[in-house]
Structure formats: C-alpha cells, structure tokens
Amino acid sequence: MAALLLTEKDVEGLLRMEDALGAVEQGLRALGRGEATNRPRQRAGTRETTVNVMLAAWPARGYAGFKYYTTSREGIRFWVHLFDIATSELVAVIQADRLGQQRTGAASGVATKYLARPDASTIGIVGTGWQAESQLEAVCAVRAIRKIRCYGRDKAHRERFAKKMSSLLQVTVQPIGSAEEAIRNADVAIAATNAPQPVIHGDWLRAGCHINAMGANRLETRELDDAALSRCAFVATDSIEQAREEGGDLVEPMKRGLISWDRIHELSEVVAEKVTGRTNADDITLFKSHGIAIEDVAVAALVYERARDRGIGRPISL
C-alpha cells in the first residue's frame, strides 16, 4: 500500500481534542509501563536555522515514527513520518503543525486530569498565542471550568483571544492587564509563552493550584521563578532525559540546590499508576512540558488510521 500524504487541512478535519487527549494518555501509559520507547529531541544547525528531530516507537500499537521540524526567520515547518512497525513500511507523511498543537495541549490536559484538584474551576493563563488555544481547550475538556483569565502583552491581541476562546469553549474568558492578576486565585495556572524570564511567580500561587508550564524549552529560558518551583509538592515532566537538556525551569534551580532530580517524576509514571501525584488538596503541582515524540506517534497513528479508513489523503509512492 502506498503511503498517505496528509496536509494540515486533512489533519484539521480528522483530529479533535478529545481524540488527542485519549491518544496521548494511552501513549504515555504505554511509555510508563515500558511498552513504548521515546528518544529526546536532537537539534542541529546554525543560529539562523535549526533542524529538530524526535523519535518514538510503540510496538503494541503497531507504529514507530519521528517528527522533524525546521526553525528559521522564515517560520517553522513540522512533519511526522509514521511507519508500520511489523513491515517497516512508511505508511504516512503528515504535515504536523496542527497535530503538534493538539498533542501539546493534550499533554497538559492529561497532566491536569491526573494532578489538578477534581474541583478545579478557574484557569489563569499567561500567553495568548496559537499554542495557548489548545492548552485551554484541553484543560476545559478534563475539568468543569467556569472562568478563565488571560494575559498577553498586546492588549488588542489578548482581547481578540479572549473573545475567540469564549465562543469556542462556551466559558467566560476575561482579558486582564497583568500576569499576576491572571495567576492569582487560579486553580490551574498555565504558562504558554516564549518569554526568556519567569512569567509565573511563587507568591501568586494559591494553595492547591496545578501548573502547566509548556513554553520554555531551552536551558536559558524560564517561565517559573525559583519561589514557584520551591512551592511545588509534586513535579512532573514528560521526559527527564529531555528536561536535563532543555528544561531551564528545572535545571537552573538545581544548580543552586533548590530541587534535585530525585524529586522529578515523569508524567507517564503517574498515568501508569507507578507514582502518585497529588496527595493533598493544598498541594501545588507542576507539569513541565517539553513535548515528546511518543505523543506525536500516538496522535499520528490515530490520524493516519482515520484517514485510511475514510479515504482521505493523497497516496504517494516512493
């Protein structure tokens, strides 16, 4: 069978957040049980252009694959190649910007499902870009959210974001004038930024809050200050190996002895019920997201099978 080429438009029509949530949760559970393998992101290139590659295999699901993407001043381009693990045949080449957005939001949604208080009803989010949309969509899918406060540096943009997300989620999204006002009293605090310096501070966090920090993925960038990390009773990430290479939110405080690697757990361990996350209603919990390849393979497998069964996509012969 020829491989399928799936475009962003194809993915948009095939993938819903509830699908991505289920696929990512299953993929993380397999990883936590030792039934899947994941390799951290590798980067190569120059200051102007970088190629990033991520690889994972999930034998029981029947697939292996890798995502690669280029970053430059001209933009970012994402692709996933998916292979049938039994035959080694390439089965799909997928444009993966939308896929990546959904799987990143879904990872935060899974973390929220397992780590946030069951009665969490308010969100505070710093960042109002495209990735922020799926963060809100995923959290609202796993908790009964009644109110969201959002902050972004551009007033007009955050107002447009609030209007769009209020309509999409059928939840009141209030644009406000500072990161602190967004985060204070939030049951779920989200950082979805490219800011080089912390945008969430420890003294803003209410007892029992859960944090999803997904923006900073280089050692020189951080979204949380030291006080925020110090207040966390439980810290999870999607890959400790990857966090050691690019998790400034964790690595920098470790250099000063504020936290140690033996206190960091992988979200897959929580999903596989090998580790207990929240143990107290007043615990502050953190999911430091980097985005890992098993999440991409899990979602890509779902998208491919749905496309194959519906006759969507363009066959390509190689």
Side-chain angles (χ1 to χ4, degrees):
M1 180 181 293
L4 286 181
L5 175 63
L6 299 174
T7 66
E8 294 290 355
K9 184 178 180 180
D10 294 329
V11 174
E12 183 76 32
L14 291 165
L15 182 62
R16 300 181 302 272
M17 178 52 74
E18 55 263 39
D19 302 321
L21 281 163
V24 168
E25 183 174 6
Q26 291 166 16
L28 290 173
R29 182 174 294 112
L31 187 64
R33 291 175 175 173
E35 298 167 356
T37 57
N38 185 86
R39 295 291 178 264
R41 182 175 10 244
Q42 299 293 307
R43 307 179 194 263
T46 66
R47 298 180 70 176
E48 290 75 28
T49 301
T50 303
V51 179
N52 308 263
V53 182
M54 308 158 65
L55 171 70
W58 186 359
R61 184 72 174 83
Y63 298 101
F66 64 92
K67 180 169 80 174
Y68 63 97
Y69 60 101
T70 56
T71 58
S72 72
R73 293 177 181 176
E74 302 301 317
I76 309 177
R77 297 170 178 84
F78 299 87
W79 293 89
V80 168
H81 285 219
L82 190 69
F83 298 86
D84 183 317
I85 210 164
T87 66
S88 76
E89 292 293 329
L90 177 69
V91 295
V93 177
I94 307 172
Q95 283 188 315
D97 197 7
R98 177 64 168 171
L99 186 151
Q101 183 219 29
Q102 292 292 95
R103 73 83 151 120
T104 303
S108 293
V110 172
T112 303
K113 175 180 176 178
Y114 283 87
L115 297 177
R117 287 172 53 133
D119 61 352
S121 63
T122 60
I123 299 173
I125 185 168
V126 181
T128 54
W130 196 54
Q131 289 287 350
E133 295 180 14
S134 66
Q135 294 290 311
L136 292 185
E137 189 179 0
V139 173
C140 287
V142 300
R143 287 293 184 271
I145 299 299
R146 296 196 301 268
K147 186 172 182 180
I148 299 167
R149 296 185 298 272
C150 71
Y151 171 74
R153 289 174 295 177
D154 185 289
K155 183 174 184 291
H157 182 79
R158 70 175 176 257
E159 289 176 349
R160 289 193 299 271
F161 175 86
K163 183 177 180 180
K164 176 180 180 179
M165 298 310 294
S166 293
S167 176
L168 177 66
L169 301 172
Q170 295 298 296
V171 175
T172 299
V173 182
Q174 179 184 5
I176 54 174
S178 71
E180 179 176 356
E181 190 179 354
I183 299 303
R184 279 197 182 275
N185 297 315
D187 298 319
V188 179
I190 302 172
T193 75
N194 58 8
Q197 301 297 325
V199 296
I200 292 181
H201 294 249
D203 59 355
W204 303 348
L205 300 171
R206 71 178 302 175
C209 177
H210 170 67
I211 309 163
N212 292 319
M214 57 72 56
N217 66 354
R218 291 185 179 273
L219 290 176
E220 64 271 20
T221 59
R222 296 183 63 182
E223 292 184 303
L224 310 177
D225 73 353
D226 287 349
L229 190 64
S230 296
R231 292 193 64 192
C232 292
F234 185 85
V235 179
T237 187
D238 34 19
S239 167
I240 290 175
E241 188 177 7
Q242 196 159 309
R244 289 179 183 271
E245 298 294 326
E246 58 185 44
D249 278 312
L250 303 178
V251 173
E252 286 302 310
M254 286 185 188
K255 291 179 180 178
R256 295 186 297 282
L258 298 178
I259 195 170
S260 57
W261 285 110
D262 61 4
R263 282 195 53 207
I264 311 301
H265 302 277
E266 293 194 342
L267 181 60
S268 60
E269 297 177 294
V270 181
V271 177
E273 299 182 338
K274 291 185 174 182
V275 171
T276 301
R278 175 178 297 275
T279 59
N280 188 289
D282 287 338
D283 284 351
I284 294 176
T285 57
L286 167 64
F287 171 54
K288 175 54 198 163
S289 173
H290 292 96
I292 59 175
I294 190 62
E295 298 161 2
D296 293 302
V297 168
V299 176
L302 182 149
V303 168
Y304 160 67
E305 290 178 347
R306 189 164 286 176
R308 178 198 62 196
D309 295 344
R310 297 181 184 180
I312 295 171
R314 179 163 67 88
I316 52 174
S317 296
L318 300 174

